[in-house]
Amino acid sequence: MKKSLLALVTGTAIASGGYFIAQQDSNPEQLPQLDYVPADTLFLWSQLRGLPYLQYLDVLPDSYKNTHQFEEIIASMESEEVDANGRFLLNVLKQYSDSMVSSESFKDTWGVNNDFKALVYTVGLLPVLRAELGDPEVFKATIKLAADNAGLRYEETQIDNHPVTKYVIETESERIFDLLVTSSGNWVTLTIDTPFNQPNDVKIALGLTQPLHPLSNSGKVEGYIQDHQLDGHSLAYLDTQLIVDMLTAKNPDNQATQMLDKLTSLAEAEGVFDSIRTPECQQDFSDITQKWPAIISGTQKIEITNQFADILVSTVIASTDTKILTALQNMRGFLPQHTQSDNNAIMTAGFGINASQLSPSVNTLWAAFSSAEFKCAQLASLQGKTKDANPAPLAMVTGMLGSFKGVSATIFDMDAAMFNQAHTIDATSLDTLITVSADDALALFNMAKSFTPEFASLTLPSDGTAIEMNDYLPPGITISKPVYLALKGQHLALYTGDMAKQAADSLSNQAVIANGIANFGIDSGKILPMMLKAAEQTGEPIPDDLKDMFDQDGKMHMQYDINDKGIVLDFALKIDQ
């Protein structure tokens, strides 16, 4: 049942349009529906400006629609004996999975048009989904069909003279909750009515009554957009401060806290949170979440046409803890230019770390926690355990790395025929580059030679002249064209191939400055043909899941970094039809 409910929630989130489109206006007018969102919502997912969802669905590759994951869940549920509730969830999942075959099918099933807006949030603990559709009646008819085919009981009722369809979720004639579906104009609303909420909570969740303190008056949405350079067309956040305050009952009169208490009482689990609801824990946890108040995600750039989609989403674990952020920032290393954004490579990855600052920064992080004055018993106990872990030995290891700042590996091109059935590699067609960056790369190379006797006779010219390394390749790798090693400014470059040489030469003009922690890029459109050819060469079939994963012409790039606002993960996606 839990797995089924999770599937429904996930499917609803995706079906409601977890995708975005960017406009040129970075300060869009606020969506009026935010007047119905409580300022103390535990989380928010929002599509604040119109999204051409049907257009996007047509350009979206099948593997990105996650339908195979839902098919697995459906198959698992069908193999089990389920009641009417389970059949209802199963039917909704089937309808969603079937509708994703085309934009026309999705429109006919869910009533979505090409100007989609949506909000997902909470009223206390009640989840709320509100979406602006082309035809809400189509959406409501689909839900009713799923209920009819499952034999799930539902009834037409009214709340404050507003028509609402109530789907009764029950076990052995005992009500668990009611799923409520209603619409007003082009907006459809889904929420639940439970034994642990008050009638007025439902009215707010259905949008019949505005909350006393709406999100639109809080300044939170505008603040997040401005602080994290988002475009304002889509925003999501998880309010860690409110969630922790709810769990610790810092404010017992808070709506979410009262619902949680009643829920635990109904579940005969009273006292489950007592250990963290002491005044000491309330204060200590509150102090922590004030410095780490939210996880925020939103669009910075998106363009969607009939031929392509270009998306950039930034996610931030927000923090005001300057001491911790400074320690983390000090560990940032160097990521070469060719690994940082879209390029012609099949795959690229970079890892940047300032070796000289790794030990001091870890010591700072360890000391910050181990020396904190916690009065909460749970935190004090955890703190006591960390005091036994001394990070001092890390200094010995990082000291050997000297001025190391980063390493990267990029495959610009390759032929799958290089992998043969004899388990040897003929890398003749390989075009690849491996880099090591440091303040003094030559000194780092000379130090590495002392640990590798076979390299003892190697002399690396300081003027950037490359030397051949074919005689030093590992056993099992044969290659007829030269493999070069060169010192390019502050970088060691091991490469073969024309594109790799061009990227290696460009390193000479790249100073080793702190610019990130890690990144990863992949051109999935180039990988599948290579995989298919490799399968032919080796006779090993490609699993369907893996084939589906790369069955599209798209480029993905992720970058992990630390800035003065928090821990940042940027995700870029380009899809061509």
Side-chain angles (χ1 to χ4, degrees):
M1 182 66 181
K2 291 180 179 178
K3 186 175 182 180
S4 302
L5 183 59
L6 176 62
L8 177 61
V9 172
T10 307
T12 303
I14 295 175
S16 63
Y19 310 101
F20 323 91
I21 183 170
Q23 307 290 337
Q24 296 301 315
D25 180 12
S26 61
N27 295 293
E29 293 182 7
Q30 196 171 69
L31 185 67
Q33 298 298 325
L34 290 176
D35 293 341
Y36 296 90
V37 181
D40 61 353
T41 176
L42 300 178
F43 66 85
L44 173 75
W45 175 88
S46 61
Q47 177 61 48
L48 300 174
R49 298 293 296 269
L51 166 76
Y53 187 82
L54 300 180
Q55 189 177 18
Y56 179 78
L57 197 60
D58 282 335
V59 76
L60 189 68
D62 288 342
S63 58
Y64 285 10
K65 297 174 183 177
N66 294 322
T67 53
H68 64 284
Q69 296 179 8
F70 286 95
E71 289 169 357
E72 292 176 1
I73 296 174
I74 290 169
S76 176
M77 291 178 64
E78 286 180 331
S79 66
E80 302 172 359
E81 185 176 346
V82 295
D83 58 9
N85 302 325
R87 290 193 298 271
F88 174 62
L89 296 173
L90 178 61
N91 291 342
V92 171
L93 286 177
K94 283 183 175 180
Q95 288 166 317
Y96 167 74
S97 182
D98 293 344
S99 70
M100 292 294 281
V101 297
S102 69
S103 61
E104 192 65 27
S105 177
F106 198 84
K107 176 182 177 181
D108 292 343
T109 303
W110 303 106
V112 174
N113 65 0
N114 226 32
D115 185 27
F116 179 79
K117 302 183 187 74
L119 298 163
V120 181
Y121 55 95
T122 65
V123 175
L125 289 183
L126 299 184
V128 182
L129 165 64
R130 306 195 75 202
E132 187 178 36
L133 308 177
D135 190 347
E137 295 303 317
V138 171
F139 181 94
K140 292 191 290 185
T142 295
I143 301 299
K144 286 183 179 179
L145 179 62
D148 287 335
N149 292 337
L152 185 76
R153 183 165 63 90
Y154 63 90
E155 60 185 72
E156 302 295 343
T157 186
Q158 289 195 345
I159 299 178
D160 274 4
N161 298 318
H162 187 84
V164 176
T165 305
K166 178 190 297 185
Y167 296 85
V168 182
I169 309 300
E170 57 189 351
T171 300
E172 297 178 353
S173 300
E174 182 178 350
R175 172 179 175 255
I176 304 175
F177 64 85
D178 296 330
L179 173 66
L180 307 180
V181 181
T182 189
S183 63
S184 178
N186 277 30
W187 283 85
V188 64
T189 303
L190 282 78
T191 189
I192 59 176
D193 184 12
T194 74
F196 57 78
N197 61 264
Q198 300 297 321
N200 192 58
D201 300 328
V202 173
K203 295 177 184 178
I204 295 174
L206 291 174
L208 305 179
T209 302
Q210 290 190 12
L212 183 62
H213 302 290
L215 184 61
S216 55
N217 291 343
S218 69
K220 186 177 287 188
V221 170
E222 299 90 337
Y224 286 157
I225 290 172
Q226 181 176 354
D227 287 348
H228 303 289
Q229 294 82 52
L230 306 177
D231 62 23
H233 299 276
S234 179
L235 172 71
Y237 68 81
L238 183 71
D239 196 315
T240 54
Q241 192 167 5
L242 287 175
I243 291 173
V244 169
D245 285 351
M246 173 191 67
L247 295 174
T248 62
K250 185 180 179 184
N251 179 7
D253 296 328
N254 176 266
Q255 186 182 31
T257 302
Q258 291 182 342
M259 287 191 189
L260 180 62
D261 289 346
K262 191 168 183 179
L263 176 60
T264 55
S265 176
L266 291 170
E268 298 182 353
E270 299 97 329
V272 66
F273 298 112
D274 284 355
S275 62
I276 60 172
R277 287 188 168 184
T278 64
E280 294 80 8
C281 287
Q282 289 171 342
Q283 187 60 53
D284 284 349
F285 278 108
S286 179
D287 290 344
I288 293 173
T289 55
Q290 282 179 12
K291 294 181 179 181
W292 298 85
I295 301 174
I296 301 139
S297 183
T299 52
Q300 291 185 329
K301 169 193 174 184
I302 293 194
E303 184 179 0
I304 297 174
T305 71
N306 290 328
Q307 286 75 41
F308 69 90
D310 189 356
I311 305 170
L312 175 59
V313 178
S314 183
T315 300
V316 183
I317 303 176
S319 177
T320 59
D321 194 328
T322 55
K323 187 174 184 178
I324 297 299
L325 289 180
T326 299
L328 292 173
Q329 285 178 304
N330 287 341
M331 291 193 291
R332 297 170 75 238
F334 175 78
L335 302 170
Q337 200 172 64
H338 65 272
T339 70
Q340 293 186 44
S341 60
D342 176 41
N343 55 46
N344 292 321
I346 294 175
M347 184 180 297
T348 185
F351 178 67
I353 194 74
N354 186 342
S356 64
Q357 288 296 315
L358 182 58
S359 181
S361 295
V362 171
N363 278 322
T364 298
L365 297 173
W366 176 75
F369 183 73
S370 61
S371 63
E373 296 182 359
F374 292 129
K375 296 180 181 179
C376 175
Q378 281 67 30
L379 290 174
S381 175
L382 179 61
Q383 184 185 53
K385 295 176 182 178
T386 63
K387 290 182 179 180
D388 296 332
N390 189 345
L394 182 64
M396 298 177 58
V397 178
T398 56
M400 298 176 61
L401 295 176
S403 60
F404 176 85
K405 291 296 187 298
V407 61
S408 76
T410 302
I411 300 174
F412 292 97
D413 196 13
M414 67 183 296
D415 190 335
M418 62 184 284
F419 300 101
N420 57 48
Q421 292 179 326
H423 302 291
T424 60
I425 299 177
D426 180 0
T428 302
S429 61
L430 190 63
D431 196 324
T432 188
L433 168 65
I434 298 173
T435 72
V436 175
S437 303
D439 290 331
D440 190 342
L442 185 57
L444 194 65
F445 172 73
N446 289 329
M447 182 189 71
K449 286 200 308 180
S450 65
F451 295 98
T452 312
E454 58 267 29
F455 290 170
S457 61
L458 280 177
T459 300
L460 193 60
S462 59
D463 63 357
T465 302
I467 59 175
E468 287 195 28
M469 297 291 293
N470 294 61
D471 293 339
Y472 300 92
L473 295 177
I477 298 179
T478 59
I479 182 169
S480 58
K481 65 179 181 179
V483 176
Y484 294 106
L485 176 66
L487 178 67
K488 300 294 184 179
Q490 295 177 286
H491 316 273
L492 295 171
L494 179 68
Y495 63 92
T496 183
D498 294 337
M499 287 185 287
K501 181 181 184 304
Q502 183 178 355
D505 290 340
S506 71
L507 291 169
S508 299
N509 300 320
Q510 297 181 41
V512 175
I513 58 174
N515 62 5
I517 297 292
N519 55 25
F520 175 75
I522 188 169
D523 188 335
S524 53
K526 292 182 177 179
I527 286 182
L528 183 62
M530 182 184 70
M531 291 172 58
L532 293 174
K533 190 169 183 180
E536 293 176 2
Q537 295 289 328
T538 63
E540 295 289 338
I542 300 176
D544 291 338
D545 288 349
L546 197 59
K547 187 183 298 184
D548 291 340
M549 185 183 301
F550 296 111
D551 189 16
Q552 70 271 325
D553 188 7
K555 296 180 180 180
M556 295 178 287
H557 191 271
M558 293 178 288
Q559 182 152 341
Y560 168 67
D561 202 358
I562 313 290
N563 62 25
D564 58 358
K565 300 292 184 181
I567 302 171
V568 183
L569 176 64
D570 290 336
F571 176 79
L573 175 66
K574 291 185 177 181
I575 302 171
D576 293 321
Q577 179 73 309

